[in-house]
Amino acid sequence: SVPPAQFADGYKYDVNSRAKDSAANEEMAYSTRTFIVDQTSAASKVSFPAHLGYLGSATQILGTATDQVEEVQKAPLIPGGFCDPACPAGRTFESGLDPSSVTVALFRWSDAKYWDGAAFTQSAPVWSTATFVGDSSGTWTYALAPGALVDSSSYSVSARVNRDRAGNIQTV
């Protein structure tokens, strides 16, 4: 048994099991399982509209999200490198993100209301699902109905990764 604290974040581990009977006969073929420890939250940010920007109109909100925090490393660390020869080339991802991982909350300052997916009616944030395209890093889009944003009003947009494939949640 290995204590959980012995598994470091961002590393890839192989577990091999082999049986031995009471007569000291060892199993010839053995089983291997590989897993990655991901304890780091992913991150999302809004790229459109620009912070403190001005718009004539908008029918979508755009952004990026990533779970690409550290190199995936195979334990023990190979001296002089991040990954042993068996690692896939260029692999720098954590557990990754699902297409529905990113959520967006839109706030209107004039009446202190949040968008509920159809109108600004809510007093508390409503986290609506954006469409994420990528694996561990990519872009997301949240569609708005034409006319959802009105002239002479100020808005704030918050985005978060609701959950990466390892279950880590971004706090906003």
PDB file of all heavy atoms in Angstrom, residues 67-93:
ATOM      1  N   ASP A  67      -6.248  23.177 -19.091  1.00  0.00           N
ATOM      2  CA  ASP A  67      -5.915  22.297 -17.978  1.00  0.00           C
ATOM      3  C   ASP A  67      -4.432  21.958 -18.085  1.00  0.00           C
ATOM      4  O   ASP A  67      -3.943  21.037 -17.464  1.00  0.00           O
ATOM      5  CB  ASP A  67      -6.771  21.022 -18.029  1.00  0.00           C
ATOM      6  CG  ASP A  67      -6.762  20.261 -16.710  1.00  0.00           C
ATOM      7  OD1 ASP A  67      -6.637  20.914 -15.662  1.00  0.00           O
ATOM      8  OD2 ASP A  67      -6.877  19.030 -16.726  1.00  0.00           O
ATOM      9  N   GLN A  68      -3.719  22.691 -18.922  1.00  0.00           N
ATOM     10  CA  GLN A  68      -2.333  22.444 -19.288  1.00  0.00           C
ATOM     11  C   GLN A  68      -1.404  23.146 -18.297  1.00  0.00           C
ATOM     12  O   GLN A  68      -0.769  24.126 -18.604  1.00  0.00           O
ATOM     13  CB  GLN A  68      -2.114  23.004 -20.687  1.00  0.00           C
ATOM     14  CG  GLN A  68      -1.025  22.400 -21.468  1.00  0.00           C
ATOM     15  CD  GLN A  68      -1.063  22.945 -22.881  1.00  0.00           C
ATOM     16  OE1 GLN A  68      -1.697  23.938 -23.181  1.00  0.00           O
ATOM     17  NE2 GLN A  68      -0.356  22.290 -23.764  1.00  0.00           N
ATOM     18  N   VAL A  69      -1.287  22.619 -17.088  1.00  0.00           N
ATOM     19  CA  VAL A  69      -0.586  23.310 -16.026  1.00  0.00           C
ATOM     20  C   VAL A  69       0.878  22.891 -15.929  1.00  0.00           C
ATOM     21  O   VAL A  69       1.748  23.702 -15.738  1.00  0.00           O
ATOM     22  CB  VAL A  69      -1.290  23.095 -14.679  1.00  0.00           C
ATOM     23  CG1 VAL A  69      -0.566  23.774 -13.555  1.00  0.00           C
ATOM     24  CG2 VAL A  69      -2.719  23.605 -14.771  1.00  0.00           C
ATOM     25  N   GLU A  70       1.179  21.633 -16.052  1.00  0.00           N
ATOM     26  CA  GLU A  70       2.556  21.176 -15.915  1.00  0.00           C
ATOM     27  C   GLU A  70       2.816  20.024 -16.869  1.00  0.00           C
ATOM     28  O   GLU A  70       1.900  19.407 -17.359  1.00  0.00           O
ATOM     29  CB  GLU A  70       2.858  20.715 -14.488  1.00  0.00           C
ATOM     30  CG  GLU A  70       1.648  20.588 -13.677  1.00  0.00           C
ATOM     31  CD  GLU A  70       1.833  20.248 -12.230  1.00  0.00           C
ATOM     32  OE1 GLU A  70       2.784  20.658 -11.589  1.00  0.00           O
ATOM     33  OE2 GLU A  70       0.961  19.553 -11.753  1.00  0.00           O
ATOM     34  N   GLU A  71       4.046  19.777 -17.130  1.00  0.00           N
ATOM     35  CA  GLU A  71       4.411  18.630 -17.961  1.00  0.00           C
ATOM     36  C   GLU A  71       3.980  17.349 -17.253  1.00  0.00           C
ATOM     37  O   GLU A  71       4.137  17.227 -16.045  1.00  0.00           O
ATOM     38  CB  GLU A  71       5.927  18.565 -18.150  1.00  0.00           C
ATOM     39  CG  GLU A  71       6.511  19.580 -19.061  1.00  0.00           C
ATOM     40  CD  GLU A  71       6.359  19.192 -20.515  1.00  0.00           C
ATOM     41  OE1 GLU A  71       6.447  18.000 -20.829  1.00  0.00           O
ATOM     42  OE2 GLU A  71       6.132  20.084 -21.318  1.00  0.00           O
ATOM     43  N   VAL A  72       3.429  16.428 -18.011  1.00  0.00           N
ATOM     44  CA  VAL A  72       3.148  15.125 -17.439  1.00  0.00           C
ATOM     45  C   VAL A  72       4.493  14.400 -17.350  1.00  0.00           C
ATOM     46  O   VAL A  72       5.205  14.272 -18.333  1.00  0.00           O
ATOM     47  CB  VAL A  72       2.163  14.322 -18.310  1.00  0.00           C
ATOM     48  CG1 VAL A  72       1.990  12.923 -17.775  1.00  0.00           C
ATOM     49  CG2 VAL A  72       0.832  15.036 -18.374  1.00  0.00           C
ATOM     50  N   GLN A  73       4.827  13.989 -16.157  1.00  0.00           N
ATOM     51  CA  GLN A  73       6.134  13.377 -15.935  1.00  0.00           C
ATOM     52  C   GLN A  73       5.940  11.953 -15.440  1.00  0.00           C
ATOM     53  O   GLN A  73       5.029  11.676 -14.679  1.00  0.00           O
ATOM     54  CB  GLN A  73       6.926  14.178 -14.902  1.00  0.00           C
ATOM     55  CG  GLN A  73       7.114  15.611 -15.332  1.00  0.00           C
ATOM     56  CD  GLN A  73       7.739  16.456 -14.246  1.00  0.00           C
ATOM     57  OE1 GLN A  73       7.857  16.032 -13.113  1.00  0.00           O
ATOM     58  NE2 GLN A  73       8.158  17.643 -14.606  1.00  0.00           N
ATOM     59  N   LYS A  74       6.792  11.087 -15.854  1.00  0.00           N
ATOM     60  CA  LYS A  74       6.726   9.707 -15.400  1.00  0.00           C
ATOM     61  C   LYS A  74       7.673   9.551 -14.213  1.00  0.00           C
ATOM     62  O   LYS A  74       8.808   9.962 -14.271  1.00  0.00           O
ATOM     63  CB  LYS A  74       7.129   8.750 -16.521  1.00  0.00           C
ATOM     64  CG  LYS A  74       6.936   7.306 -16.141  1.00  0.00           C
ATOM     65  CD  LYS A  74       7.094   6.408 -17.342  1.00  0.00           C
ATOM     66  CE  LYS A  74       6.838   4.992 -16.905  1.00  0.00           C
ATOM     67  NZ  LYS A  74       6.503   4.145 -17.998  1.00  0.00           N
ATOM     68  N   ALA A  75       7.184   9.014 -13.114  1.00  0.00           N
ATOM     69  CA  ALA A  75       8.015   8.838 -11.915  1.00  0.00           C
ATOM     70  C   ALA A  75       8.871   7.589 -12.084  1.00  0.00           C
ATOM     71  O   ALA A  75       8.410   6.585 -12.601  1.00  0.00           O
ATOM     72  CB  ALA A  75       7.131   8.704 -10.687  1.00  0.00           C
ATOM     73  N   PRO A  76      10.109   7.597 -11.661  1.00  0.00           N
ATOM     74  CA  PRO A  76      10.813   8.765 -11.155  1.00  0.00           C
ATOM     75  C   PRO A  76      11.244   9.670 -12.303  1.00  0.00           C
ATOM     76  O   PRO A  76      11.371   9.225 -13.434  1.00  0.00           O
ATOM     77  CB  PRO A  76      12.022   8.162 -10.456  1.00  0.00           C
ATOM     78  CG  PRO A  76      12.292   6.906 -11.216  1.00  0.00           C
ATOM     79  CD  PRO A  76      10.934   6.390 -11.636  1.00  0.00           C
ATOM     80  N   LEU A  77      11.476  10.923 -11.983  1.00  0.00           N
ATOM     81  CA  LEU A  77      11.882  11.906 -12.978  1.00  0.00           C
ATOM     82  C   LEU A  77      13.160  11.461 -13.670  1.00  0.00           C
ATOM     83  O   LEU A  77      14.115  11.056 -13.033  1.00  0.00           O
ATOM     84  CB  LEU A  77      12.101  13.266 -12.304  1.00  0.00           C
ATOM     85  CG  LEU A  77      12.477  14.424 -13.213  1.00  0.00           C
ATOM     86  CD1 LEU A  77      11.351  14.710 -14.190  1.00  0.00           C
ATOM     87  CD2 LEU A  77      12.750  15.662 -12.378  1.00  0.00           C
ATOM     88  N   ILE A  78      13.159  11.512 -14.964  1.00  0.00           N
ATOM     89  CA  ILE A  78      14.336  11.146 -15.755  1.00  0.00           C
ATOM     90  C   ILE A  78      15.324  12.313 -15.682  1.00  0.00           C
ATOM     91  O   ILE A  78      14.957  13.442 -16.011  1.00  0.00           O
ATOM     92  CB  ILE A  78      13.939  10.863 -17.225  1.00  0.00           C
ATOM     93  CG1 ILE A  78      12.846   9.806 -17.296  1.00  0.00           C
ATOM     94  CG2 ILE A  78      15.152  10.488 -18.054  1.00  0.00           C
ATOM     95  CD1 ILE A  78      13.199   8.476 -16.657  1.00  0.00           C
ATOM     96  N   PRO A  79      16.574  12.087 -15.231  1.00  0.00           N
ATOM     97  CA  PRO A  79      17.534  13.179 -15.129  1.00  0.00           C
ATOM     98  C   PRO A  79      17.686  13.912 -16.466  1.00  0.00           C
ATOM     99  O   PRO A  79      17.816  13.296 -17.509  1.00  0.00           O
ATOM    100  CB  PRO A  79      18.837  12.476 -14.739  1.00  0.00           C
ATOM    101  CG  PRO A  79      18.399  11.199 -14.111  1.00  0.00           C
ATOM    102  CD  PRO A  79      17.122  10.809 -14.815  1.00  0.00           C
ATOM    103  N   GLY A  80      17.633  15.241 -16.403  1.00  0.00           N
ATOM    104  CA  GLY A  80      17.831  16.066 -17.585  1.00  0.00           C
ATOM    105  C   GLY A  80      16.613  16.196 -18.473  1.00  0.00           C
ATOM    106  O   GLY A  80      16.660  16.826 -19.513  1.00  0.00           O
ATOM    107  N   GLY A  81      15.495  15.609 -18.112  1.00  0.00           N
ATOM    108  CA  GLY A  81      14.320  15.706 -18.968  1.00  0.00           C
ATOM    109  C   GLY A  81      13.043  15.639 -18.173  1.00  0.00           C
ATOM    110  O   GLY A  81      13.047  15.322 -16.994  1.00  0.00           O
ATOM    111  N   PHE A  82      11.950  15.950 -18.821  1.00  0.00           N
ATOM    112  CA  PHE A  82      10.657  15.938 -18.164  1.00  0.00           C
ATOM    113  C   PHE A  82       9.924  14.627 -18.353  1.00  0.00           C
ATOM    114  O   PHE A  82       9.075  14.269 -17.582  1.00  0.00           O
ATOM    115  CB  PHE A  82       9.781  17.073 -18.702  1.00  0.00           C
ATOM    116  CG  PHE A  82      10.252  18.415 -18.291  1.00  0.00           C
ATOM    117  CD1 PHE A  82      10.909  19.235 -19.181  1.00  0.00           C
ATOM    118  CD2 PHE A  82      10.067  18.858 -17.002  1.00  0.00           C
ATOM    119  CE1 PHE A  82      11.355  20.487 -18.797  1.00  0.00           C
ATOM    120  CE2 PHE A  82      10.501  20.101 -16.610  1.00  0.00           C
ATOM    121  CZ  PHE A  82      11.152  20.917 -17.508  1.00  0.00           C
ATOM    122  N   CYS A  83      10.232  13.923 -19.420  1.00  0.00           N
ATOM    123  CA  CYS A  83       9.433  12.758 -19.766  1.00  0.00           C
ATOM    124  C   CYS A  83      10.348  11.639 -20.242  1.00  0.00           C
ATOM    125  O   CYS A  83      11.331  11.890 -20.918  1.00  0.00           O
ATOM    126  CB  CYS A  83       8.461  13.160 -20.878  1.00  0.00           C
ATOM    127  SG  CYS A  83       7.039  12.118 -21.044  1.00  0.00           S
ATOM    128  N   ASP A  84      10.017  10.434 -19.870  1.00  0.00           N
ATOM    129  CA  ASP A  84      10.846   9.318 -20.333  1.00  0.00           C
ATOM    130  C   ASP A  84      10.544   9.034 -21.808  1.00  0.00           C
ATOM    131  O   ASP A  84       9.605   9.582 -22.371  1.00  0.00           O
ATOM    132  CB  ASP A  84      10.644   8.086 -19.454  1.00  0.00           C
ATOM    133  CG  ASP A  84       9.347   7.347 -19.724  1.00  0.00           C
ATOM    134  OD1 ASP A  84       8.613   7.718 -20.651  1.00  0.00           O
ATOM    135  OD2 ASP A  84       9.083   6.384 -19.009  1.00  0.00           O
ATOM    136  N   PRO A  85      11.328   8.199 -22.478  1.00  0.00           N
ATOM    137  CA  PRO A  85      11.127   7.954 -23.912  1.00  0.00           C
ATOM    138  C   PRO A  85       9.748   7.383 -24.264  1.00  0.00           C
ATOM    139  O   PRO A  85       9.303   7.506 -25.397  1.00  0.00           O
ATOM    140  CB  PRO A  85      12.227   6.960 -24.256  1.00  0.00           C
ATOM    141  CG  PRO A  85      13.271   7.172 -23.220  1.00  0.00           C
ATOM    142  CD  PRO A  85      12.529   7.557 -21.968  1.00  0.00           C
ATOM    143  N   ALA A  86       9.054   6.771 -23.306  1.00  0.00           N
ATOM    144  CA  ALA A  86       7.742   6.182 -23.593  1.00  0.00           C
ATOM    145  C   ALA A  86       6.626   7.225 -23.616  1.00  0.00           C
ATOM    146  O   ALA A  86       5.531   6.958 -24.070  1.00  0.00           O
ATOM    147  CB  ALA A  86       7.413   5.103 -22.566  1.00  0.00           C
ATOM    148  N   CYS A  87       6.886   8.424 -23.104  1.00  0.00           N
ATOM    149  CA  CYS A  87       5.852   9.472 -23.119  1.00  0.00           C
ATOM    150  C   CYS A  87       5.577   9.908 -24.551  1.00  0.00           C
ATOM    151  O   CYS A  87       6.507  10.055 -25.336  1.00  0.00           O
ATOM    152  CB  CYS A  87       6.317  10.696 -22.335  1.00  0.00           C
ATOM    153  SG  CYS A  87       6.163  10.542 -20.569  1.00  0.00           S
ATOM    154  N   PRO A  88       4.323  10.153 -24.884  1.00  0.00           N
ATOM    155  CA  PRO A  88       4.024  10.679 -26.220  1.00  0.00           C
ATOM    156  C   PRO A  88       4.693  12.028 -26.420  1.00  0.00           C
ATOM    157  O   PRO A  88       4.737  12.833 -25.500  1.00  0.00           O
ATOM    158  CB  PRO A  88       2.501  10.827 -26.213  1.00  0.00           C
ATOM    159  CG  PRO A  88       2.024   9.984 -25.086  1.00  0.00           C
ATOM    160  CD  PRO A  88       3.145   9.928 -24.086  1.00  0.00           C
ATOM    161  N   ALA A  89       5.195  12.281 -27.594  1.00  0.00           N
ATOM    162  CA  ALA A  89       5.885  13.540 -27.890  1.00  0.00           C
ATOM    163  C   ALA A  89       4.941  14.714 -27.690  1.00  0.00           C
ATOM    164  O   ALA A  89       3.792  14.684 -28.119  1.00  0.00           O
ATOM    165  CB  ALA A  89       6.405  13.523 -29.316  1.00  0.00           C
ATOM    166  N   GLY A  90       5.415  15.754 -27.030  1.00  0.00           N
ATOM    167  CA  GLY A  90       4.642  16.964 -26.847  1.00  0.00           C
ATOM    168  C   GLY A  90       3.511  16.867 -25.842  1.00  0.00           C
ATOM    169  O   GLY A  90       2.708  17.772 -25.725  1.00  0.00           O
ATOM    170  N   ARG A  91       3.421  15.788 -25.121  1.00  0.00           N
ATOM    171  CA  ARG A  91       2.320  15.627 -24.160  1.00  0.00           C
ATOM    172  C   ARG A  91       2.559  16.536 -22.959  1.00  0.00           C
ATOM    173  O   ARG A  91       3.462  16.313 -22.174  1.00  0.00           O
ATOM    174  CB  ARG A  91       2.245  14.166 -23.715  1.00  0.00           C
ATOM    175  CG  ARG A  91       1.214  13.891 -22.664  1.00  0.00           C
ATOM    176  CD  ARG A  91      -0.141  13.707 -23.250  1.00  0.00           C
ATOM    177  NE  ARG A  91      -1.039  13.291 -22.171  1.00  0.00           N
ATOM    178  CZ  ARG A  91      -2.318  13.368 -22.240  1.00  0.00           C
ATOM    179  NH1 ARG A  91      -2.883  13.789 -23.323  1.00  0.00           N
ATOM    180  NH2 ARG A  91      -3.064  12.990 -21.242  1.00  0.00           N
ATOM    181  N   THR A  92       1.767  17.584 -22.822  1.00  0.00           N
ATOM    182  CA  THR A  92       1.893  18.522 -21.713  1.00  0.00           C
ATOM    183  C   THR A  92       0.553  18.740 -21.027  1.00  0.00           C
ATOM    184  O   THR A  92       0.323  19.780 -20.426  1.00  0.00           O
ATOM    185  CB  THR A  92       2.432  19.885 -22.204  1.00  0.00           C
ATOM    186  OG1 THR A  92       1.549  20.380 -23.199  1.00  0.00           O
ATOM    187  CG2 THR A  92       3.832  19.762 -22.754  1.00  0.00           C
ATOM    188  N   PHE A  93      -0.352  17.786 -21.125  1.00  0.00           N
ATOM    189  CA  PHE A  93      -1.711  17.983 -20.621  1.00  0.00           C
ATOM    190  C   PHE A  93      -1.944  17.343 -19.272  1.00  0.00           C
ATOM    191  O   PHE A  93      -1.301  16.386 -18.902  1.00  0.00           O
ATOM    192  CB  PHE A  93      -2.728  17.399 -21.603  1.00  0.00           C
ATOM    193  CG  PHE A  93      -2.636  17.945 -22.984  1.00  0.00           C
ATOM    194  CD1 PHE A  93      -2.902  17.155 -24.065  1.00  0.00           C
ATOM    195  CD2 PHE A  93      -2.291  19.270 -23.206  1.00  0.00           C
ATOM    196  CE1 PHE A  93      -2.834  17.649 -25.358  1.00  0.00           C
ATOM    197  CE2 PHE A  93      -2.219  19.785 -24.480  1.00  0.00           C
ATOM    198  CZ  PHE A  93      -2.486  18.975 -25.553  1.00  0.00           C
TER     199      PHE A  93
END
